[in-house]
Amino acid sequence: MQAVSGRSTVGLTPSASSLCCFQPEILQDSKLITLHLTMLVTFTDTSTWKILRGKGESLRPAMNHICANIMGHLNQRGFYPVLQMLLTRGLARPRPCLSKGTLTATFSLALRPVIAAQFSDSLIRPFLVHIMSVPALVTHLSTVTPERLTVLESHDMLRKFITFLRNEDRCREVCESLEGCHTLCLMGNLLQLGSLSPKVLEEETDGFVSLLTQMLCYCQKYVSQKKSNLTHWHPVLGWFSQSVDYGLNESMPLITKQLQFLWGVPLIRIFFSDILNKKLLENQEPVHAQPASPQNVLPVKNLLKRAFQKSASVRNILRPVGGKRVDSAEVQKVCSICVLYQTSLTTLTQIRLQILTGLTYLDDLLPKLWAFICELGPHGGLKLFSECLNNDTEESKQLLAMLTLFCDCSRHLVTILDDIEVYEEQISFKLEELVTISSFLNSFVFKMIWDGIVENAKGDTLELFHSVHGWLMVLYERDCRRRFAPEDHWLRKDLKPSVLFQELDKDRKRAQLILQYIPHVIPHKNRVLLFRNMVTKEKEKLGLVETSSASPHVTHITIRRSRMLEDGYEQLRQLSQHAMKGVIRVKFVNDLGVDEAGIDQDGVFKEFLEEIIKRVFDPALNLFKTTSGDERLYPSPTSYIHENYLQLFEFVGKMLGKAVYEGIVVDVPFASFFLSQLLGHHHSVFYSSVDELPSLDSEFYKNLTSIKRYEGDIADLGLTLSYDEDVMGQLVCHELTPGGKTTPVTNANKISYIHLMAHFRMHTQIKNQTAALISGFRSIIKPEWTRMFSTPELQRLISGDNAEIDLEDLKRHTVYYGGFHGSHRVILWLWDILASDFTPDERAMFLKFVTSCSRPPLLGFAYLKPPFSIRCVEVSDDQDTGDTLGSVLRGFFTIRKREPGGRLPTSSTCFNLLKLPNYSRKSVLREKLRYAVSMNTGFELS
């Protein structure tokens, strides 16, 4: 018997070792592989030996012993690495080349020693390291020879793998043996096995979550944020500081597909079962069945959606209440699961969006996770997580990881939802819950900054801050576009602006971070005041302010009224940045070159600036276009017909920047999406073109988003990834992607189509024009100054306050000339007419008549430059030579040179001056003033 054992061993060892020399894709080698494997299968198991049947049965124990010796000898001689090499060569390729027989034999040979050793750790380890780490092995087994998976299941192998790997030391040792690339392969195979054995996962959730987290943590140590001499590119991990096995590249699509089981619905339902099984409903009314009719027969998906919407509408609003102990088993379990998913987001960097999309697929996961968060600790919410920030315990880290995951997923969800889904359908979160959540986030971010945590933050703490801040800003910007939160919701009542400004003057870091990250916690008017102070300080620094010892440099330009735009463009576009920010004096001449009367004390420059802006933003010029509906301005896609159009846009940007710099309000209503680009929001990873599309074309937005809700086959609509546009009578096809006009829109790519279309309409078409205008604007206005403002706030900074005109404030800051004074009869009539007889719209027209802008300055009329003025006039404008001693006295004592009843009030907008005749009756003043402001007949250029 010893002799037989010896001969068998000597004969079989070359067969085993020679397997690694063959190329399975070569037909001749494939036949030899089959021959060697058949021989090894035969001599490692006696169940097929005919010699042992009948009378030879007595020899079976001895023969089994010989087979066991053979397997032991093979294992000692490196049989598992040989099988690993064979499997990898045959499977890690575009088209696997192992036949069913070969794959079955190889896997059976690998599993036999493990079974024979009664699943001892000493054999489970090499089986995991060498066999279960073969790329997408379980996928190939399920396709080619599913019987082998049944064998694994019959021996409860998944549970044994979990038991082995949940031990931290053993798991680390396996990962170190494999390194990162092959650890992912092992993970993929285990995840697919888990998806095939949901009952085992339900019973072994803790162990499975633990081993997956440990594997991801091992890989994460080598994930790098950027390229370096020590990193290699990995299609799932990104830049990776371990060596990368590029031979696995062919298998990466299959490995990625296996990893997707982690964020697939079945595993999420198992892992988060404790949360998902909880009810959020109350007072649910019974739904009465309706008789079946063609209108009531809806697809199942639609019925489920309606059912969820019904349930969402009757459940409680979720608010922090507290009451759940954080050291309970339930909380620890949910925390560990959140750590797993958060680790996957920071490790599998190249498929991060896939993970987030998977985690947000179930509509009720995030609200139930928020409900769970609300119950934590004695009081719930902010207090608990604030305490965690100051504790370096493992428990605190896990709780903060839960908050980070919730913020990342919720931000992703709200970013991809359109307005109908957020405001009408209220998918996942009710609007009242968004108010509660945003209040919590606002307080949490403020506390992290004000308590100095962010200044020195790194690692998980910095990641937490960016997650919470990102989710907060997505909600804030959504609220700016369409309000869901109450007035003053975003302000911090405990932060006094005066304290913040003092800290800014002392260059305190926390004050600077408040302005950088959450300027909205400061009242808007205080931020405008801060902006004006920043401009003033810069002017002083650049020597642009008159002092007792020096006068600023003045740039003089001569402008022909008939060619105001051309002359202004030619003379100002070449000025340096410093000169553009300085004093510019304008002299108007007629076409013959004769000077006009008048001295520029900022008034004529204001008139020139307003006229330039009025002309360049006139849609008839085709530099700018108006949106459909509310007629707001944005760069015209066909503005390229102008020669030097990009230089023109840069000039427009400088003029607009100069107006804001000098505090001159101009009545130019911009489209919201364009203002977002002016603020640089479109560079944010959270920016969604679809959200901004209604501000360009609300009808187009409705039509585009209807594609998202289309329940049939989108391909039937005959759409392609292209956009047809009528350009000056000619149909032009724009491809949204290379080859887009021949790529049909399908159910699989319809979301991409919607985003591509929105991005094309608002960005791609006007990309160059917008970039040129922004370049000009930022040459005057620093980007960090405007980042203090939201999109609507920037519009108010440009065009003044949209609040109703405060007549008392206007009275206090009005200057009188020509004999008028605050108690003059005509002046008293004027203020009474404006207050009692004029509508708010007429008051706005009156302001526009005098100042050229219908909106008051943001900080009130004290900041209107030049100040609002009213002058008593006796004659028509063409005869007016200014105030004389006689005219002033006559005006003061209400002595009329002649009855002015036939004349209208006029204005000089460059000086914010109302020229008012000394009317004898209040009714005449009311009639003439109303006519003048409604027809703009009194408007004149100085």
Side-chain angles (χ1 to χ4, degrees):
M1 202 58 71
Q2 286 291 327
V4 172
S5 175
R7 282 196 302 273
S8 298
T9 303
V10 172
L12 285 173
T13 301
S15 291
S17 60
S18 61
L19 286 172
C20 62
C21 303
F22 297 133
Q23 302 292 329
E25 70 275 14
I26 300 172
L27 181 60
Q28 188 62 34
D29 282 9
S30 177
K31 290 178 180 178
L32 289 171
I33 288 170
T34 303
L35 176 64
H36 284 77
L37 286 173
T38 303
M39 185 177 178
L40 289 169
V41 167
T42 302
F43 282 92
T44 53
D45 183 26
T46 62
S47 61
T48 58
W49 292 11
K50 291 182 179 179
I51 194 174
L52 298 180
R53 294 173 189 169
K55 293 180 180 180
E57 191 65 40
S58 59
L59 297 175
R60 189 175 296 276
M63 294 299 104
N64 284 340
H65 185 66
I66 290 174
C67 289
N69 285 343
I70 292 170
M71 284 191 293
H73 180 75
L74 289 172
N75 287 335
Q76 291 171 5
R77 299 293 295 269
F79 187 47
Y80 273 121
V82 171
L83 292 181
Q84 179 186 19
M85 193 177 298
L86 175 62
L87 287 169
T88 304
R89 282 180 179 172
L91 299 177
R93 51 196 315 115
R95 294 181 62 185
C97 58
L98 293 185
S99 66
K100 178 176 181 177
T102 304
L103 184 55
T104 302
T106 308
F107 194 75
S108 298
L109 283 169
L111 193 57
R112 276 179 183 173
V114 180
I115 298 170
Q118 297 184 332
F119 312 103
S120 71
D121 290 351
S122 61
L123 280 165
I124 284 183
R125 182 194 176 282
F127 187 83
L128 284 167
V129 170
H130 297 293
I131 306 303
M132 290 305 293
S133 67
V134 171
L137 174 65
V138 176
T139 301
H140 294 299
L141 289 174
S142 64
T143 306
V144 179
T145 174
E147 302 84 6
R148 294 303 92 197
L149 292 179
T150 307
V151 172
L152 281 179
E153 189 177 350
S154 67
H155 290 290
D156 206 12
M157 290 303 296
L158 177 61
R159 196 186 307 271
K160 293 176 172 61
F161 293 153
I162 293 172
T163 303
F164 180 86
L165 289 170
R166 72 183 301 170
N167 177 281
E168 203 170 311
D169 292 334
R170 288 198 293 249
C171 189
R172 183 175 59 252
E173 186 190 346
V174 167
C175 291
E176 287 172 351
S177 300
L178 290 172
E179 292 196 338
C181 295
H182 292 275
T183 298
L184 278 188
C185 298
L186 174 59
M187 256 188 74
N189 284 320
L190 292 174
L191 281 165
Q192 189 168 359
L193 270 184
S195 71
L196 297 171
S197 309
K199 187 166 177 52
V200 175
L201 284 195
E202 288 172 12
E203 296 166 359
E204 301 288 345
T205 297
D206 291 351
F208 196 55
V209 166
S210 173
L211 74 89
L212 291 175
T213 306
Q214 289 179 64
M215 287 182 173
L216 285 167
C217 285
Y218 172 79
C219 294
Q220 190 185 61
K221 290 191 298 184
Y222 302 99
V223 172
S224 179
Q225 296 299 317
K226 56 187 178 180
K227 181 181 180 180
S228 73
N229 294 332
L230 302 174
T231 58
H232 310 273
W233 179 254
H234 189 280
V236 170
L237 301 167
W239 293 112
F240 197 61
S241 57
Q242 278 189 333
S243 60
V244 171
D245 185 351
Y246 292 107
L248 298 179
N249 280 0
E250 304 283 7
S251 300
M252 281 318 299
L254 288 176
I255 296 168
T256 304
K257 202 168 182 180
Q258 287 184 313
L259 293 173
Q260 287 169 356
F261 285 112
L262 178 58
W263 50 91
V265 170
L267 256 67
I268 287 177
R269 286 200 184 280
I270 291 171
F271 288 170
F272 286 106
S273 59
D274 291 348
I275 286 179
L276 291 169
N277 290 337
K278 290 189 176 180
K279 301 288 185 185
L280 293 179
L281 315 180
E282 69 162 24
N283 301 328
Q284 189 160 7
E285 299 174 3
V287 180
H288 300 288
Q290 295 181 349
S293 68
Q295 291 84 0
N296 290 332
V297 178
L298 297 169
V300 174
K301 181 181 176 184
N302 202 25
L303 285 172
L304 290 172
K305 187 176 179 183
R306 291 192 175 192
F308 175 73
Q309 288 169 6
K310 170 69 179 171
S311 68
S313 66
V314 297
R315 67 174 167 80
N316 258 346
I317 306 304
L318 303 173
R319 295 186 176 89
V321 291
K324 195 182 289 290
R325 288 180 61 90
V326 294
D327 57 356
S328 66
E330 180 191 10
V331 173
Q332 295 296 313
K333 179 181 176 183
V334 174
C335 282
S336 65
I337 292 164
C338 290
V339 169
L340 166 63
Y341 283 108
Q342 190 56 36
T343 309
S344 70
L345 286 170
T346 53
T347 305
L348 312 177
T349 58
Q350 301 310 297
I351 52 175
R352 178 184 171 87
L353 287 180
Q354 281 187 39
I355 302 170
L356 289 170
T357 302
L359 288 168
T360 55
Y361 184 81
L362 292 175
D363 285 334
D364 57 340
L365 175 60
L366 290 176
K368 287 182 175 179
L369 184 57
W370 171 244
F372 187 81
I373 289 171
C374 288
E375 295 174 352
L376 295 177
H379 309 290
L382 182 65
K383 189 168 175 23
L384 171 70
F385 289 104
S386 298
E387 289 170 357
C388 289
L389 286 172
N390 300 315
N391 296 330
D392 198 27
T393 63
E394 197 59 37
E395 184 180 87
S396 294
K397 289 178 181 176
Q398 291 203 333
L399 285 167
L400 292 174
M402 181 197 301
L403 179 61
T404 304
L405 182 72
F406 171 73
C407 291
D408 284 344
C409 292
S410 301
R411 179 186 65 209
H412 178 74
L413 174 68
V414 171
T415 301
I416 61 177
L417 293 179
D418 58 46
D419 280 358
I420 294 171
E421 291 165 324
V422 172
Y423 292 92
E424 276 81 43
E425 296 174 2
Q426 297 188 32
I427 288 178
S428 287
F429 294 107
K430 294 173 76 72
L431 291 180
E432 294 91 337
E433 286 163 1
L434 292 182
V435 172
T436 306
I437 291 169
S438 58
S439 178
F440 162 76
L441 298 173
N442 209 34
S443 299
F444 191 76
V445 171
F446 175 76
K447 183 172 178 57
M448 285 192 77
I449 294 175
W450 203 247
D451 290 355
I453 295 170
V454 175
E455 290 181 39
N456 305 307
K458 54 187 177 184
D460 291 342
T461 306
L462 190 60
E463 184 188 332
L464 168 70
F465 174 76
H466 288 309
S467 296
V468 179
H469 176 258
W471 177 210
L472 170 67
M473 295 314 293
V474 164
L475 289 176
Y476 174 68
E477 285 163 17
R478 176 79 75 165
D479 184 62
C480 289
R481 284 196 303 273
R482 181 175 170 184
R483 186 166 287 283
F484 64 80
E487 199 70 32
D488 296 340
H489 170 73
W490 304 97
L491 300 180
R492 289 290 304 182
K493 303 293 193 304
D494 54 344
L495 176 63
K496 292 182 179 177
S498 57
V499 173
L500 182 76
F501 294 167
Q502 287 170 13
E503 296 223 353
L504 284 171
D505 288 339
K506 296 174 184 175
D507 287 331
R508 294 276 172 82
K509 186 68 175 174
R510 67 178 185 177
Q512 294 167 353
L513 290 173
I514 290 287
L515 275 189
Q516 181 182 344
Y517 287 108
I518 48 171
H520 59 255
V521 300
I522 310 162
H524 176 239
K525 288 206 169 182
N526 292 99
R527 278 179 280 139
V528 176
L529 190 59
L530 180 61
F531 170 79
R532 298 263 43 112
N533 288 342
M534 288 174 170
V535 171
T536 302
K537 283 182 180 177
E538 185 185 79
K539 284 185 174 182
E540 291 170 354
K541 186 178 177 182
L542 295 176
L544 302 176
V545 179
E546 186 87 38
T547 64
S548 56
S549 58
S551 295
H553 172 75
V554 177
T555 301
H556 295 274
I557 60 173
T558 301
I559 302 294
R560 291 169 291 178
R561 283 202 183 275
S562 59
R563 294 182 58 82
M564 194 177 292
L565 178 57
E566 294 86 345
D567 288 353
Y569 170 70
E570 285 300 327
Q571 294 184 60
L572 292 179
R573 73 186 183 91
Q574 302 294 346
L575 289 184
S576 66
Q577 187 183 65
H578 186 275
M580 275 298 296
K581 291 183 177 184
V583 179
I584 300 174
R585 298 283 185 213
V586 177
K587 181 170 70 174
F588 282 117
V589 297
N590 62 22
D591 288 342
L592 299 175
V594 179
D595 293 359
E596 289 187 5
I599 300 171
D600 184 1
Q601 293 177 340
D602 297 329
V604 180
F605 176 73
K606 174 178 179 286
E607 174 196 326
F608 162 72
L609 187 63
E610 288 169 347
E611 274 301 298
I612 285 282
I613 285 174
K614 190 165 78 172
R615 294 189 189 193
V616 295
F617 288 109
D618 184 351
L621 187 63
N622 196 35
L623 274 180
F624 287 83
K625 197 174 177 180
T626 57
T627 60
S628 62
D630 55 0
E631 297 191 339
R632 292 183 164 266
L633 293 158
Y634 69 99
S636 170
T638 56
S639 55
Y640 56 78
I641 61 172
H642 291 281
E643 189 179 358
N644 301 325
Y645 74 104
L646 293 180
Q647 288 92 327
L648 267 173
F649 272 102
E650 187 176 2
F651 171 69
V652 171
K654 287 180 178 179
M655 290 293 97
L656 190 63
K658 179 68 172 174
V660 174
Y661 194 75
E662 301 297 345
I664 299 171
V665 290
V666 288
D667 214 347
V668 183
F670 286 112
S672 174
F673 79 89
F674 176 67
L675 288 168
S676 291
Q677 295 181 45
L678 199 56
L679 288 170
H681 289 172
H682 59 302
H683 294 307
S684 166
V685 293
F686 315 127
Y687 181 80
S688 170
S689 298
V690 177
D691 289 342
E692 295 275 19
L693 189 57
S695 69
L696 171 66
D697 189 334
S698 57
E699 199 59 38
F700 183 73
Y701 168 78
K702 286 178 186 173
N703 294 336
L704 198 59
T705 52
S706 68
I707 293 172
K708 187 177 181 180
R709 294 170 176 77
Y710 187 75
E711 294 184 354
D713 187 354
I714 289 292
D716 295 340
L717 301 180
L719 299 170
T720 60
L721 294 181
S722 61
Y723 172 63
D724 292 331
E725 182 187 23
D726 185 350
V727 179
M728 292 178 285
Q730 195 171 15
L731 193 66
V732 177
C733 177
H734 303 280
E735 292 190 322
L736 304 179
T737 60
K741 63 182 177 184
T742 58
T743 306
V745 177
T746 63
N747 287 341
N749 66 10
K750 65 181 181 181
I751 300 299
S752 295
Y753 169 73
I754 291 168
H755 284 269
L756 286 168
M757 182 67 85
H759 187 266
F760 177 80
R761 288 290 308 274
M762 294 189 298
H763 297 272
T764 309
Q765 274 194 309
I766 57 171
K767 179 176 65 177
N768 295 332
Q769 295 93 321
T770 302
L773 188 143
I774 289 174
S775 172
F777 184 78
R778 289 184 176 174
S779 69
I780 309 295
I781 302 294
K782 292 180 179 180
E784 56 267 30
W785 293 349
T786 54
R787 285 194 196 114
M788 292 191 291
F789 304 104
S790 66
T791 299
E793 288 171 344
L794 179 61
Q795 180 66 68
R796 289 163 67 188
L797 192 67
I798 293 168
S799 299
D801 207 335
N802 52 10
E804 200 168 313
I805 297 166
D806 184 345
L807 287 177
E808 290 303 317
D809 182 47
L810 180 57
K811 275 188 208 177
R812 281 194 299 273
H813 298 100
T814 297
V815 180
Y816 301 101
Y817 298 104
F820 277 161
H821 52 84
S823 301
H824 194 286
R825 183 180 63 179
V826 174
I827 298 302
L828 294 174
W829 288 344
L830 173 68
W831 294 126
D832 188 54
I833 289 167
L834 289 172
S836 306
D837 299 333
F838 272 31
T839 65
D841 285 344
E842 285 176 322
R843 285 194 285 272
M845 289 161 62
F846 167 77
L847 190 62
K848 185 177 179 72
F849 175 75
V850 181
T851 67
S852 81
C853 186
S854 59
R855 297 179 177 188
L858 275 178
L859 298 174
F861 287 99
Y863 287 83
L864 183 66
K865 301 296 180 190
F868 192 91
S869 310
I870 303 175
R871 178 167 164 249
C872 178
V873 293
E874 298 181 311
V875 293
S876 61
D877 287 316
D878 56 350
Q879 298 174 322
D880 188 9
T881 56
D883 289 340
T884 64
L885 178 61
S887 67
V888 170
L889 289 172
R890 284 191 293 274
F892 186 83
F893 292 109
T894 320
I895 303 169
R896 281 176 292 281
K897 198 173 179 181
R898 59 181 173 221
E899 177 58 49
R903 287 193 288 112
L904 293 169
T906 59
S907 64
S908 290
T909 58
C910 57
F911 292 107
N912 299 325
L913 173 66
L914 172 64
K915 299 176 180 179
L916 199 61
N918 195 347
Y919 293 112
S920 59
R921 293 195 307 278
K922 183 180 179 182
S923 59
V924 175
L925 171 59
R926 183 191 305 113
E927 176 194 343
K928 297 299 182 184
L929 185 63
R930 180 170 274 147
Y931 182 81
V933 300
S934 62
M935 302 303 293
N936 216 18
T937 54
F939 179 79
E940 62 160 18
L941 299 175
S942 296

